[in-house]
Amino acid sequence: MLAIGNKTCITPELYNICAQKAKKIRELLNKLTSLESSSVPTEKQAEATLELAKLKKELSKYEQPESKERSISGIQVDLPRTFPELGFFKRGGGFYEDLEQVLEVFVVWRPDIGYVRIYYIFERFKECLI
C-alpha cells in the first residue's frame, strides 16, 4: 500500500471486511446466475424456484436499493478481456485474483459508484501509446 499511497485511509481491517462481503456477494451472484440460466426439469421447478427466492433474499441482505454492488459480476467478465495478449488478468494469471479483490473491495466500499467497466478505458489508453 505504501508504494501507491492510501489517500482513502482504508485500514487493513476495513479492507478485509469489504473483501469478505464482496466475496459473499460474488458467490451469491454466481449461484443466482447459474440457477437462472440452467434448464430445470419440470419435476424440480418448484424446488428451483424456492432456491432462487432464497438466494435473492440472502443477496438482499447485502444490498440497499440504491446500491450498485451487483456490478461485482462485471469484474469477472472484464478482467480476462483486459490486455488478453499479456495474460496478466486471465484467471490464474499473475494479477487476476489481486485485481479482482481490489475492484470488489472498491464496489463494497463505494456502493454508490459500483464497478465501472475498465476494459474500454484500458483499450483507449493502449491505443494512445501505440
Side-chain angles (χ1 to χ4, degrees):
M1 277 181 126
L2 295 177
I4 59 171
N6 186 8
K7 291 182 182 181
T8 59
C9 297
I10 295 178
T11 64
E13 293 82 11
L14 177 58
Y15 183 89
N16 289 332
I17 290 167
C18 290
Q20 289 171 359
K21 182 178 178 184
K23 181 180 178 185
K24 183 66 176 175
I25 291 170
R26 180 176 17 96
E27 288 170 352
L28 287 170
L29 286 171
N30 286 343
K31 286 179 185 177
L32 190 65
T33 301
S34 176
L35 192 58
E36 287 177 332
S37 64
S38 65
S39 58
V40 179
T42 308
E43 65 273 5
K44 295 200 176 208
Q45 283 186 350
E47 186 180 313
T49 302
L50 188 61
E51 179 67 19
L52 196 58
K54 184 176 147 189
L55 283 171
K56 286 180 179 181
K57 183 177 180 181
E58 190 173 349
L59 187 58
S60 71
K61 294 177 192 175
Y62 294 94
E63 296 182 315
Q64 300 299 317
E66 64 280 356
S67 170
K68 295 182 179 141
E69 289 178 338
R70 283 183 181 243
S71 64
I72 280 177
S73 61
I75 295 169
Q76 291 179 329
V77 173
D78 274 358
L79 284 183
R81 298 187 311 186
T82 305
F83 296 124
E85 64 277 3
L86 298 178
F88 289 144
F89 305 116
K90 290 181 182 175
R91 187 169 291 282
F95 299 106
Y96 183 93
E97 287 81 14
D98 294 336
L99 183 56
E100 179 183 45
Q101 187 177 54
V102 167
L103 293 171
E104 288 176 350
V105 165
F106 179 81
V107 170
V108 170
W109 181 65
R110 289 296 309 264
D112 57 320
I113 297 172
Y115 172 67
V116 180
R117 298 193 178 238
I118 58 172
Y119 174 71
Y120 301 107
I121 296 168
F122 278 137
E123 284 300 310
R124 292 296 299 152
F125 179 71
K126 188 170 80 172
E127 288 173 9
C128 292
L129 294 177
I130 297 176

